[in-house]
Amino acid sequence: MPAYAQQNGTGISGIHFNTASPMGVIPVTGFGPDNFRSSHSGAASDLQQAQQLIASGDFVQADSLLATVIGETPSRQARFLKGVAKLGLGEAAAARRYFEQSLYRGRNGHPGAMSGLAIAEIRLGNVDAARNILHKLEYQQEKCGHGCDRADALKQAVGVVEKALA
């Protein structure tokens, strides 16, 4: 189940979770089902549980669960969620590291990971780095246009980063 970004809700400005959320948020990760597969049979359910823990604000439990999952799978989504948990725990430097690990697929950065990275950079006082990420998101958005599969995710990520920079 993909993670979602939006304003407020988890105590972390810029990130919401769960498609069943009454908040009706737009996906901003670009993580597809192939990124969730691993040899660890419980990884998908562990990721879903971690996502629910984060959505409920239980960052300590999510962080602990994700430490195990990350040891068993190369999943970029697990690293993304770990970054969100670290942001929730106030550990921006660790969050940055995990967002960086979840960032790329091919030549494009995942919008959710990029917006999470920008938030971590802002919390670390690196506003110029966050602006650079915003420019990269805007460039991807321009190249993507309105018809590509990442258009909504890019639009939402740009909005999240713009609001965080405001």
Side-chain angles (χ1 to χ4, degrees):
M1 178 172 272
Y4 290 74
Q6 183 63 282
Q7 293 307 111
N8 303 321
T10 61
I12 303 171
S13 177
I15 301 173
H16 274 298
F17 294 89
N18 196 343
T19 56
S21 168
M23 296 163 270
V25 295
I26 300 172
V28 300
T29 64
F31 289 103
D34 291 342
N35 296 310
F36 307 136
R37 295 188 186 126
S38 79
S39 59
H40 174 54
S41 62
S45 64
D46 288 347
L47 290 176
Q48 185 175 15
Q49 182 182 359
Q51 191 170 309
Q52 291 169 347
L53 288 166
I54 290 169
S56 69
D58 193 347
F59 303 113
V60 173
Q61 282 290 110
D63 187 56
S64 177
L65 176 60
L66 288 163
T68 302
V69 172
I70 285 175
E72 298 172 346
T73 178
S75 167
R76 285 189 310 265
Q77 190 206 17
R79 282 146 182 83
F80 173 80
L81 292 173
K82 184 79 166 176
V84 174
K86 290 296 186 184
L87 274 181
L89 293 170
E91 300 175 26
R96 174 175 53 192
R97 184 174 60 251
Y98 286 107
F99 286 130
E100 287 172 342
Q101 292 173 5
S102 68
L103 197 56
Y104 289 101
R105 178 177 149 202
R107 294 182 350 179
N108 295 314
H110 290 287
M114 291 177 75
S115 61
L117 181 58
I119 292 167
E121 293 291 2
I122 291 166
R123 290 192 179 177
L124 290 167
N126 302 325
V127 176
D128 289 340
R131 284 191 185 108
N132 186 37
I133 293 166
L134 175 60
H135 295 307
K136 289 177 183 179
L137 283 165
E138 290 169 336
Y139 177 79
Q140 285 186 34
Q141 187 178 33
E142 180 183 316
K143 293 296 179 187
C144 173
H146 297 291
C148 84
D149 61 342
R150 296 167 21 109
D152 288 340
L154 286 164
K155 179 180 178 184
Q156 186 66 29
V158 165
V160 165
V161 176
E162 285 176 339
K163 184 162 185 164
L165 284 167

